Amino acid sequence: MKKLNIYIIAIALFAFGCDATYIDDIVPVAVGPDEEAPEVVINFPLDGTQIRVPEAVTNLNINFEVSDDIEIESVIVRLNGTELLQVTDFLDYRRLVRTFNYDQLGNGEHILSIEAKDLSGKTTTETVIFEKIEPYDPVYDGEIFYLPFDGDYLELVSVEEAAINGSPGFATGIKGRAYQGSSSGYLTFPTEGLRNQEFSAAFWYKVNPSPDRAGILVMGPPDPNNPTNQNFRNHGFRLFREAAGSMQRVKLNVGNGSGDNWFDGGAAADIDPSKNEWVHIAISISGSRAAVYLDGQVVSQGTFPGIDWTGCDLLSIGSGAPRFSEWGHLSTQSLIDELRIFSKALTQAEIQAIIDTDRL
């Protein structure tokens, strides 16, 4: 009985399978002549990419795509003329998306070429030239942080990328490219290694007076009593600008643990926006004194008990946000370039030496 049932089911399946009402007509797919050469797209590295890492030899993830109108026959990846990879088997014979890891990239300029050939013998080769730059060696005594803004937000001593908030950009700088502020843009870094008993920062600034006040550099603690408009000034520092008539006045506030100290130079600390000029700004903080410099000249200085770094785990660049926002010192739309931080209190002579070198 069991064999009979199986036989009946088989007949039924065959009958339904052969019924024209249950099967679409087979339509042949016309394949035309192979008219197009393969297309090659190199996603990384791009032409002009600069790779900065602490190691002398590093990994390179080569990412690329190859497509063809009919069928790819082979893809060859070469670095500086040496073959690294050849692909001849394809899951999708019209398209290949691949990331290949090369683990022996050394310092210097490199030429990456990717050659793709289709079944008719047409060949396409794409080439990019990129560079692995030697690890940055600090130029100045006590230099622990250097952000040149040359087309990226990479800090070169730690080789760490900034966290980007909003949409800052780049513009022509005092050297190479510069940070271009935006209405809500700013950068942040963790402060590990930056919180020292002595502290200095030096950079170039081209002021945009709109908005009429803005944060420039802030390393402050959270304000638990005012989390949406933070302004707890007992620790860390706040460097900012605000309107003084037609001028923009640079001010520094430093927390000493039990309160805060102000370094406001009045008119001496004013920048004239109408001149549209680069101005060098530096702050120098020791265990007993702090000073603000414009173009190498002291515009404000005085004694204080020393900086207290409690809770200061975040450095903001280009804004007072998020730790110094209550008074509206938010994102600057100004330009910033060649930002350096030091684990020492810079002297006036040292600041002038930096200015002279940057102007070469």
Side-chain angles (χ1 to χ4, degrees), residues 105-144:
L105 186 71
N107 296 327
E109 188 175 83
H110 300 279
I111 301 173
L112 172 69
S113 65
I114 298 181
E115 175 190 296
K117 183 165 68 173
D118 65 17
L119 284 182
S120 67
K122 296 184 181 68
T123 301
T124 300
T125 302
E126 288 293 328
T127 300
V128 297
I129 299 175
F130 66 99
E131 185 178 8
K132 181 187 176 301
I133 298 175
E134 293 186 11
Y136 176 71
D137 186 17
V139 175
Y140 301 101
D141 181 40
E143 183 183 356
I144 56 175

Side-chain angles (χ1 to χ4, degrees), residues 36-41 65-69 116 124 126:
E36 302 293 333
E39 181 181 359
V40 178
V41 178
E65 302 176 35
V66 175
S67 58
D68 188 64
D69 58 337
T124 300
E126 288 293 328

